[in-house]
Amino acid sequence: MRSKIVAGNWKMNKNLVETEALLTELSAKLPDTDAEVMVAPAFVNLASSVRHLESSTIEVIAQNMHFAESGAYTGEISGDMLLNIGVDTVIIGHSERRAYFGETDEILAKKVNTALAKNMRVLFCFGEELEDRKSGNHFNIVESQLKNGLFSLEQNAWRHIVLAYEPVWAIGTGETASPEQAQEMHAFIRKTITDAYTTSIANNVSILYGGSVKPGNANEIFSKPDVDGGLIGGASLVADDFAAIIKAI
Ligand code: PEP
């Protein structure tokens, strides 16, 4: 079943004290909603965040994980480590991981497979760069990211996938895709999944939009029929703004 989701990606922001303060403020300001609300604090603050939100409906998710089970991968975190502290949803393929940490489609596909083998839920990110959009190549890029990252999955696996379309040119730039551009791409994504799988899989997967979503533009973006919510960066670090975005869904 397709659900509405608003997820906050805190990236490399907020130390332990700041994380707990933001969680407390956000919990106090959380509007009534039927949407799933998620936050992704830094790795070192995940366990304490899970404890902090024990009696809350807000889910704590991870920003990344490694594809290996365990072993000599200095600085990395495994899926089992996340599960062990009560985190069973993980963001995979964020554009910053792709751009700054060399995460290729092939690496991301391995991460997705490992996470799904552990029954984790994957929030898979993808989206085109500005040059791709300018040259009209954005649909091809998105199609190939989907194909390479996800299209070897079995049909059943799609129940554990959430998609986040994030045009790279709109992330952290203050420039948002227009609601029409977001809708156009989300509809294209559903058609691509229909062609590769089935209409029912395409219609049941939640597709979030990410890229400079703010309280002032959330309503219009979320009103589009194929937009099921948002992956929020900067605005998720301010409780009032994140709460307003959740209210908009
Ligand atoms: C993101 O990093 O996923 C993101 C959408 O960031 P921002 O909202 O700051 O553009």
Side-chain angles (χ1 to χ4, degrees):
M1 241 308 268
R2 188 156 140 194
S3 48
K4 291 189 184 302
I5 298 172
V6 180
N9 175 12
W10 292 3
K11 311 188 182 185
M12 196 173 72
N13 293 295
K14 305 286 177 192
N15 64 25
L16 175 60
V17 173
E18 292 163 346
T19 294
E20 296 198 336
L22 182 52
L23 291 174
T24 301
E25 194 185 351
L26 183 61
S27 301
K29 293 179 172 169
L30 193 70
D32 253 355
T33 179
D34 57 0
E36 292 182 58
V37 177
M38 306 172 176
V39 290
F43 277 132
V44 287
N45 299 322
L46 283 179
S48 64
S49 296
V50 170
R51 282 195 296 273
H52 201 90
L53 293 176
E54 222 159 35
S55 54
S56 167
T57 53
I58 302 173
E59 185 187 354
V60 176
I61 70 173
Q63 297 177 19
N64 183 30
M65 62 176 261
H66 199 267
F67 54 76
E69 287 297 315
S70 63
Y73 298 98
T74 302
E76 291 292 333
I77 302 287
S78 73
D80 284 342
M81 290 172 185
L82 296 175
L83 289 170
N84 185 249
I85 57 166
V87 173
D88 57 14
T89 299
V90 58
I91 298 172
I92 290 179
H94 191 278
S95 65
E96 287 149 17
R97 300 296 316 172
R98 293 175 188 259
Y100 307 147
F101 302 97
E103 297 199 358
T104 60
D105 285 350
E106 192 189 357
I107 291 172
L108 297 174
K110 282 192 195 175
K111 291 187 176 204
V112 169
N113 289 337
T114 301
L116 293 178
K118 295 180 184 304
N119 276 325
M120 296 177 79
R121 182 150 69 151
V122 170
L123 204 168
F124 186 78
C125 304
F126 55 95
E128 81 282 0
E129 313 240 355
L130 186 58
E131 309 84 80
D132 305 319
R133 165 92 29 192
K134 279 187 173 159
S135 64
N137 204 27
H138 45 298
F139 293 115
N140 288 338
I141 294 290
V142 161
E143 185 174 4
S144 89
Q145 288 172 330
L146 283 172
K147 202 180 276 179
N148 295 335
L150 300 177
F151 283 5
S152 55
L153 296 178
E154 288 179 0
Q155 295 202 1
N156 274 343
W158 279 84
R159 286 182 291 126
H160 303 286
I161 298 285
V162 174
L163 300 177
Y165 166 60
E166 299 204 300
V168 178
W169 48 272
I171 296 180
T173 59
E175 185 161 346
T176 322
S178 68
E180 292 69 32
Q181 284 172 319
Q183 168 57 28
E184 181 186 38
M185 185 57 88
H186 285 218
F188 172 78
I189 292 162
R190 278 195 217 285
K191 182 182 178 312
T192 306
I193 298 170
T194 299
D195 292 346
Y197 288 92
T198 64
T199 311
S200 141
I201 288 176
N203 284 340
N204 280 309
V205 68
S206 296
I207 310 179
L208 316 186
Y209 168 78
S212 298
V213 176
K214 307 276 182 245
N217 60 22
N219 241 322
E220 228 193 324
I221 294 172
F222 293 163
S223 70
K224 294 296 175 190
D226 285 302
V227 177
D228 302 309
L231 179 56
I232 319 297
S236 70
L237 295 167
V238 179
D240 282 325
D241 288 355
F242 196 47
I245 291 169
I246 294 163
K247 201 163 178 207
I249 196 92

